[in-house]
Amino acid sequence: MSFGPELFTAMMRSFEETVLPCRIGKIETGDTWAAFRLSSGKDRWLLFSWNPGSYGCGIVGEDGIASLKKTRVSRSSFGEGLKRNFQNASILSVRQLNSDRVLVFGAERLVGAGFPVRLSLVFEGTERNSNLVILDETGSILEPAKHIHGDMNRYRMIIPGVAYTPPPPMKGKHLGETGGLEGPEDLRELRGIGKGLSGLLTRSWDGRPVGYWNDMLARLLSGKEQGLILQRHGPLLTVFPEPLPFCEVLAGPILERCGEEVLSSYFLGQRERILSGVKKALEKEIRSRKRHRDGLENQIRLSERGSEFLKMGNLLLAAAEQVPPRAREVELQDWETGEPVLVPLDENLSASRNAERYFRKYKKGKVDREAVKKAIGGIDEGITELLEQLEALESIDDPDLLSVSARDVMEWLAPKRTAGGRKQKSAPPPHIRLENGGDLIYIGLNARGNRHVTFKVAAPTDLWFHVHEIPGAHVILKTAGKDQVPADSSLEIAASLAAWFSRAKNSGKIQVDYTEKKNVRSIPGSAIAHVIYVHPRTILVSPDRWKEFPEAARSRQLEDRI
């Protein structure tokens, strides 16, 4: 995600018109974000993110902050510094520095007998160098989110006790100093707009007269224009007085939409990191299981040549004196058939040691081949299930559900143990519960969750749902009473959720099978969530049909606690 300086100008105006002055209530912080609950409106939080991949600021709601809180790992000294300096303070002003992506919020906090302490909070939205810096009333740095030392940046240091120096000023002239632009090449020398917007205007320049562009830019950069339109082009967020070609218009107040974009980008980054971590763990486990399978396949190959290895060993022992030193092979006569037998040798071993080597291969190949083949089939089933786990996680959009499900998969691959070496008692695998009228719907979020809802939660007469012949979630529909029939809407919701949490999520209408749970059986020796079922009925449903039942959707509850 990328913000241009023109958007910071628009945000400054929006803060002045719709937010300030305001009092700061509660403060929440994470590794790369901070949020202030504001008194200027119910359920309003001012969010700052200095994460390189999702930097920015804006207004977000309580739900967004609740999700952010679940991603934080530990407390930070900077977070404590924010609370110490800005808890119950008032933000009185905001200004933009050097027409750049830097906003300075002026704040005041009363201490003692009403004595005012003035502070500033500087937000630098400069991609990988983004930062949030606390300043005292003299402009000295009290605490930055990211420390920048002299060996990292020759232009400035961002460390406590040093006078704050903003980023190097942008090159070029203000629009009023140019006397008006004559062509798109002049955009590169214009202060207050970023490279992203400059590129978009250059592409569209020839379609409008020069006077139009000068008028639009004057309105954009005046800092007084109302009704600027927030627009997105790829990762770029920008504003302009009118919709631009190649851009998607983002409706709604600028600060709220910017907050949504910051959250969305942040959670997308979290999603990629979570999936990457799980993928590495799954790939490691798959490699381990493939090595095991290779060993079993080698046992089968050895078993097929068992009699041959035994004969070679016996021939070597019987004719050891005929084996030349350091020979790589020797031809010996089979005493049973009289035919010559060519025996490969390890030149570094004696005849007797080579014989021992063949006897070991013979013993290693003395296995029940059918049992080994069955074990190989079980390993292949397990590998398929591991691959399905990653697909299941990729189908989960909700950051909370993804995080919990991924953690459960990681604990499944590497169970935690107590000091005595025993496995810790684990919580139920993560699954979701929804309500529709008196009916309850349960959805497994991964293999263990699927097995849990099918074989622990469901009663024999409950309905079990699964997408037809496609990997996906197990869904259980329980009625309010033993002899009651589920509502038609509950059937639709359950089937839709089975499609939503499956590989077919992005399809149109999809075939979902359902049957009573008593008709579902696990496959002995198979992967933990692989089942067979009989007497299915079928329903065609859209994967997002469940969203059309708002009361049921709002009832969604994650269950992953004992």
Side-chain angles (χ1 to χ4, degrees), residues 25-42:
K26 192 173 183 180
I27 297 177
E28 298 287 356
T29 62
D31 293 339
T32 57
W33 60 270
F36 302 161
R37 177 183 278 164
L38 304 179
S39 62
S40 56
K42 185 179 180 181

Side-chain angles (χ1 to χ4, degrees), residues 97-98 100 102 126 153 155-156 165-171 191:
L97 286 185
N98 299 326
D100 203 352
V102 181
T126 48
N153 190 316
Y155 180 80
R156 63 180 187 149
T165 302
M170 298 177 65
K171 296 180 180 179
R191 294 182 67 177

Side-chain angles (χ1 to χ4, degrees), residues 467-468 470 495-496 498-500 502-505 507-513 538-543:
V467 173
H468 182 70
I470 296 175
S496 174
W500 180 264
S502 78
R503 189 186 291 174
K505 176 179 181 177
S507 304
K509 286 199 171 183
I510 192 73
Q511 179 179 339
V512 176
D513 294 339
T538 297
I539 182 171
L540 286 175
V541 67
S542 170

Side-chain angles (χ1 to χ4, degrees), residues 259 263 287 309 408 474 519:
L263 278 179
R287 286 195 299 270
F309 293 144
D408 183 76
H474 295 199
N519 297 323

Side-chain angles (χ1 to χ4, degrees), residues 304-326:
E304 292 170 349
R305 299 182 62 191
S307 60
E308 180 184 353
F309 293 144
L310 180 61
K311 177 165 288 188
M312 287 181 178
N314 287 328
L315 286 174
L316 284 172
L317 284 181
E321 69 281 354
Q322 300 178 31
V323 180
R326 302 192 65 79

Side-chain angles (χ1 to χ4, degrees), residues 271-430:
R271 172 186 177 82
E272 291 173 352
R273 283 189 290 274
I274 289 171
L275 290 177
S276 176
V278 174
K279 185 177 181 180
K280 288 180 180 178
L282 288 173
E283 287 175 345
K284 181 180 178 181
E285 180 67 18
I286 288 171
R287 286 195 299 270
S288 173
R289 295 191 185 193
K290 284 182 175 180
R291 287 193 297 270
H292 186 197
R293 183 185 63 190
D294 291 343
L296 293 178
E297 289 175 342
N298 186 51
Q299 280 189 329
I300 291 179
R301 288 192 294 269
L302 291 175
S303 71
E304 292 170 349
R305 299 182 62 191
S307 60
E308 180 184 353
F309 293 144
L310 180 61
K311 177 165 288 188
M312 287 181 178
N314 287 328
L315 286 174
L316 284 172
L317 284 181
E321 69 281 354
Q322 300 178 31
V323 180
R326 302 192 65 79
R328 294 186 177 181
E329 59 183 26
V330 64
E331 188 174 87
L332 301 173
Q333 188 176 20
D334 186 341
W335 59 77
E336 293 179 342
T337 65
E339 296 293 327
V341 176
L342 186 64
V343 182
L345 301 172
D346 184 336
E347 61 184 305
N348 296 314
L349 300 178
S350 66
S352 60
R353 290 290 181 86
N354 271 293
E356 290 176 7
R357 188 165 65 95
Y358 280 112
F359 290 144
R360 284 197 298 271
K361 287 186 177 182
Y362 166 69
K363 290 179 179 179
K364 195 171 184 180
K366 289 178 67 176
V367 295
D368 183 342
R369 284 199 283 176
E370 291 306 314
V372 173
K373 287 179 180 179
K374 187 175 180 180
I376 290 174
I379 290 174
D380 287 337
E381 284 270 356
I383 290 173
T384 299
E385 184 179 51
L386 291 175
L387 293 173
E388 290 173 359
Q389 291 310 289
L390 185 59
E391 288 186 358
L393 291 175
E394 289 174 339
S395 73
I396 300 175
D397 294 328
D398 186 285
D400 294 344
L401 300 183
L402 177 63
S403 178
V404 171
S405 301
R407 184 170 65 247
D408 183 76
V409 170
M410 298 293 277
E411 291 177 357
W412 173 40
L413 294 175
K416 295 180 179 179
R417 298 183 181 273
T418 62
R422 296 181 179 179
K423 291 182 181 179
Q424 288 184 355
K425 185 178 180 181
S426 59

